[in-house]
Amino acid sequence: MVELLGRDTVTTGPVDQQARVNRAELTPVGFLRRSAAVFPDKTAIVHGNRGTTYTYRQFAERADRLASALRAAGLEKGDRVAYLCPNIPAVLEAYFAVPAAGGILVTINTRLNTAEIGYILDHAGARFLVVDAELYPLVAPLDLSAFHVVRIDDTGAVDDPYEVFLTTGSPEPIPHLLADEDETIAINYTSGTTGRSKGVVYSHRGAYLMALANVVEIGLTGDTVYLWTGPLFHASGWCFPWAVTAVAGTHVTLRKIDNALIWDLIDAHGVSHYHAAPTVHLGIASHPKAHRLDRPVTVVAAAAPPPPPP
């Protein structure tokens, strides 16, 4: 390689790492660390189904505990950590904790059947499986003896198995293992409509740049309140878990599409952005609770062409 070290000096061949004083590997993991440092008391997450809120300080501490707990449970760099969960705070925590621990996040489509889920777990080579209690019957028929399984009851109570798992980790940040920004941060699987699900690899660099592109493209700011109508499992939530966190916006999660609840959350929390497929938009807009708002809400549609306006 050729690299300029100064105005008049050119070197060829490998460059001493000490010479790269201006080099930092791009990773979206740092977005949470920055937001927690700058806006520790700002609301980071509102769980719409049970009203639980977390500040950015708490969000970062929980992510650090999860990363530490995974390491303590035997996670090694490059291990796949699979999640089968609805849109709940624990999944947002995983988007930062799993790569911080050196793992690779595999979020699985909650609409798949047992055989399809089993195929993805095997194909991805997952060693850890974090599964919501409501979805546990989908994996119960599988041989899970090779996995470290963590169940989430999504109660937030001290005896929730997920909360118990977090207590095995430290709230202090763990040493980062990332050596190259092109390392894999996540593997996302297609829905398998044309055959076996196919895994698509996201890099730390790619996720970082996509998150910042989202910030610019749809105008995310510190005042953003982002409603999670789009699946967190789909294409890394289109990278919005990282994008919203990058600007210290507020995530509003909900376990499933409930149009009445969605309108309640829009009104209660001042939702400013959400994304989903056109059919979801149509259901929200045509619900009996639908009404005009005194502020704009930015809606991002994908997965199918939206219908033409009437």
Side-chain angles (χ1 to χ4, degrees), residues 225 227 252 259-272 274 284 287-295 297:
V225 179
L227 179 63
V252 180
N259 292 320
L261 177 59
I262 285 171
W263 277 105
D264 290 343
L265 295 173
I266 289 174
D267 291 336
H269 300 288
V271 168
S272 61
Y274 69 85
I284 295 171
H287 190 267
K289 282 193 173 184
H291 57 273
R292 289 191 176 276
L293 299 170
D294 59 3
R295 66 186 189 282
V297 174

Side-chain angles (χ1 to χ4, degrees), residues 74-193:
L75 183 142
E76 298 179 355
K77 184 173 180 177
D79 281 348
R80 279 67 163 166
V81 183
Y83 270 69
L84 183 66
C85 298
N87 288 0
I88 55 177
V91 185
L92 289 173
E93 292 160 7
Y95 270 96
F96 296 90
V98 171
I104 296 172
L105 183 62
V106 182
T107 50
I108 300 177
N109 189 333
T110 59
R111 301 162 190 158
L112 299 180
N113 62 37
T114 297
E116 292 166 330
I117 293 168
Y119 170 78
I120 291 173
L121 290 172
D122 179 67
H123 186 267
R127 288 191 56 213
F128 291 77
L129 172 62
V130 183
V131 56
D132 185 83
E134 188 175 278
L135 299 171
Y136 193 87
L138 289 171
V139 300
L142 301 173
D143 180 3
L144 301 177
S145 60
F147 299 91
H148 186 113
V149 180
V150 179
R151 194 186 78 233
I152 300 176
D153 289 349
D154 194 31
T155 63
V158 294
D159 60 349
D160 185 319
Y162 177 73
E163 299 297 327
V164 173
F165 184 65
L166 291 187
T167 65
T168 67
S170 167
E172 298 299 320
I174 60 177
H176 209 301
L177 299 180
L178 184 67
D180 190 317
E181 62 190 22
D182 288 325
E183 291 177 15
T184 301
I185 192 171
I187 304 174
N188 296 292
Y189 279 82
T190 63
S191 58
T193 54

Side-chain angles (χ1 to χ4, degrees), residues 53-70:
T53 63
Y54 298 110
T55 64
Y56 266 98
R57 180 189 288 109
Q58 292 169 320
F59 185 9
E61 179 181 316
R62 289 174 63 83
D64 285 331
R65 284 189 179 278
L66 176 56
S68 176
L70 288 168

